[in-house]
């Protein structure tokens, strides 16, 4: 089961993901999370508690980052587990989003 928590600091938000990033979180990310983050200048997404990401989860991540960037929000992703980062690398997610996105 996927959940998230947002820590807000004036114009910056830190989002901690927990659980599996898959098709089951589509509604949560598209209808709750994106609208909650578009008014910030900077968003950091922490993946430390995400153990599994499937292809639909990758699509959700790409959509999340692109939607925020379309609103001029700077996005960074950090604390990605090694096994999840291997999948990201295999699918060239760092190249698609830009290596600078991963801190």
């Amino acid at each position: 089961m996927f959940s998230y928590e947002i820590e807000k600091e004036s114009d910056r938000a830190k989002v901690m993901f927990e659980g599996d990033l898959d098709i089951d979180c589509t509604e949560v990310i598209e209808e709750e999370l994106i609208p909650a983050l578009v008014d910030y200048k900077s968003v950091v997404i922490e993946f430390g508690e995400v153990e599994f990401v499937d292809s639909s989860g990758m699509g959700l991540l790409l959509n999340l980052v692109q939607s925020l960037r379309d609103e001029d929000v700077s996005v960074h992703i950090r604390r990605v587990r090694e096994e999840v980062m291997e999948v990201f690398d295999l699918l060239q997610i760092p190249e698609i989003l830009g290596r600078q996105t991963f801190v």
Side-chain angles (χ1 to χ4, degrees):
M1 184 169 156
F2 177 80
S3 65
Y4 68 90
E5 181 180 333
I6 301 175
E7 287 182 10
K8 303 171 183 178
E9 303 171 9
S10 64
D11 62 350
R12 181 176 177 223
K14 180 168 73 169
V15 183
M16 286 81 59
F17 283 178
E18 184 174 341
D20 297 341
L21 190 59
D22 57 22
I23 196 152
D24 292 335
C25 32
T26 301
E27 188 174 310
V28 171
I29 289 179
E30 292 181 353
E31 295 179 15
E32 289 179 26
L33 190 57
I34 292 173
L37 298 175
V38 294
D39 293 327
Y40 291 95
K41 291 183 187 256
S42 175
V43 172
V44 174
I45 303 169
E46 297 220 348
F47 263 77
E49 300 300 320
V50 174
E51 296 180 12
F52 174 79
V53 180
D54 69 6
S55 59
S56 58
M58 293 292 181
L60 288 169
L61 176 62
L62 293 172
N63 182 44
L64 170 63
V65 172
Q66 191 57 53
S67 295
L68 294 175
R69 287 181 175 168
D70 287 347
E71 298 294 327
D72 293 321
V73 178
S74 168
V75 180
H76 294 283
I77 299 170
R78 68 179 184 191
R79 295 188 57 224
V80 180
R81 291 174 177 250
E82 186 177 334
E83 60 270 19
V84 172
M85 195 64 204
E86 287 174 6
V87 176
F88 284 1
D89 285 334
L90 182 67
L91 297 174
Q92 299 181 332
I93 300 301
E95 286 75 20
I96 293 168
L97 295 178
R99 285 252 173 224
Q100 73 280 3
T101 304
F102 293 84
V103 293

